[in-house]
């Protein structure tokens, strides 16, 4: 099989977007992830509550029960650092992985309705938006939340097509929406 026959339009519809998303993920994980801690009030809260969970003290902030936010992000931190010792380089790399995954989830969600190329443009526009980029390397819930939220939207759009597997897509959409709520309560608006 010659090269021109191997690269058809149908294959390019998948190869180009996936290569672009993989390139974005590479940049997030290996070029833009920092090794230093960026102090911020929310980030410190998540880390302290995550440490409390990791040490078996429950969902607490400085010894007091913590009810202000859902436990998704502290729970993730407790899984990453089960001994309670925080490593900002690891945390930043995980968060940057979520940033890349959020961009891919946006592509997945938009592609269902508008097609591959418009979805790629929207995803890369969001991924390079200054508001989005400003959140890089901060311990915030935005990237895990966006990932789960847009995965949910994509699944629910597949369910709306009423194909033979619409029930599975609806359940997947509901589960990822629930997980998004577990990370950030603002999901109730969605």
């Amino acid at each position: 099989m010659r090269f021109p026959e191997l690269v058809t339009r149908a294959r390019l519809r998948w190869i180009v977007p996936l290569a672009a998303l993989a390139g974005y993920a590479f940049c997030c994980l290996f070029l833009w992830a920092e090794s230093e801690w960026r102090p911020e009030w929310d980030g410190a809260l998540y880390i302290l509550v995550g440490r409390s969970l990791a040490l078996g003290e429950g969902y607490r902030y400085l010894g007091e029960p913590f009810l202000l936010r859902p436990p998704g992000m502290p729970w993730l931190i407790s899984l990453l650092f089960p001994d309670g010792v925080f490593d900002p380089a690891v945390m930043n790399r995980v968060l940057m992985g979520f940033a890349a995954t959020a961009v891919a989830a946006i592509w997945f969600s938009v592609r269902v309705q508008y097609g591959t190329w418009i979805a790629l443009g929207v995803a890369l526009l969001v991924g390079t938006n200054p508001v989005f980029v400003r959140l890089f390397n901060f311990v915030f819930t935005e990237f895990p939340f966006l990932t789960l939220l847009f995965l949910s939207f994509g699944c629910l759009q597949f369910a709306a097509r009423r194909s033979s597997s619409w029930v599975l897509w609806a359940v997947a959409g509901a589960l990822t929406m629930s997980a998004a709520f577990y990370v950030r309560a603002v999901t109730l608006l969605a």
Side-chain angles (χ1 to χ4, degrees):
M1 184 178 287
R2 294 179 316 171
F3 182 74
E5 295 171 359
L6 185 66
V7 180
T8 63
R9 282 185 180 223
R11 287 187 180 141
L12 278 178
R13 271 191 20 229
W14 289 101
I15 292 170
V16 172
L18 293 178
L21 293 171
Y24 185 83
F26 178 84
C27 290
C28 281
L29 292 171
F30 300 107
L31 299 179
W32 302 330
E34 298 174 358
S35 60
E36 299 299 317
W37 159 246
R38 286 192 177 186
E40 186 70 30
W41 185 78
D42 279 357
L45 259 168
Y46 291 129
I47 291 165
L48 289 173
V49 176
R51 179 179 292 154
S52 177
L53 283 171
L55 297 176
E57 298 168 0
Y59 193 53
R60 298 182 168 282
Y61 172 68
L62 299 176
E64 296 296 319
F66 186 68
L67 303 172
L68 184 61
R69 297 199 171 93
M73 188 68 173
W75 177 75
L76 174 66
I77 292 171
S78 73
L79 291 178
L80 289 172
F81 310 109
D83 56 357
V85 178
F86 177 69
D87 183 352
V90 171
M91 190 73 228
N92 286 348
R93 185 139 306 152
V94 167
L95 289 171
M96 294 303 285
F98 272 113
T101 308
V103 169
I106 290 167
W107 174 77
F108 168 71
S109 175
V110 174
R111 187 188 68 80
V112 174
Q113 187 72 26
Y114 296 102
T116 300
W117 302 111
I118 290 174
L120 181 61
V122 169
L124 293 177
L125 187 64
V126 170
T128 57
N129 182 301
V131 174
F132 192 86
V133 171
R134 190 177 330 136
L135 297 174
F136 282 1
N137 296 294
F138 279 110
V139 181
F140 290 149
T141 59
E142 276 75 0
F143 294 142
F145 164 72
L146 285 174
T147 299
L148 293 167
L149 184 69
F150 278 95
L151 281 176
S152 174
F153 289 163
C155 290
L156 293 174
Q157 286 183 32
F158 273 115
R161 291 181 171 185
R162 296 289 191 170
S163 66
S164 61
S165 58
W166 76 270
V167 173
L168 293 175
W169 284 111
V171 168
L175 289 175
T176 52
M177 184 70 75
S178 299
F181 175 74
Y182 191 69
V183 171
R184 192 164 171 93
V186 76
T187 310
L188 280 176
L189 298 175

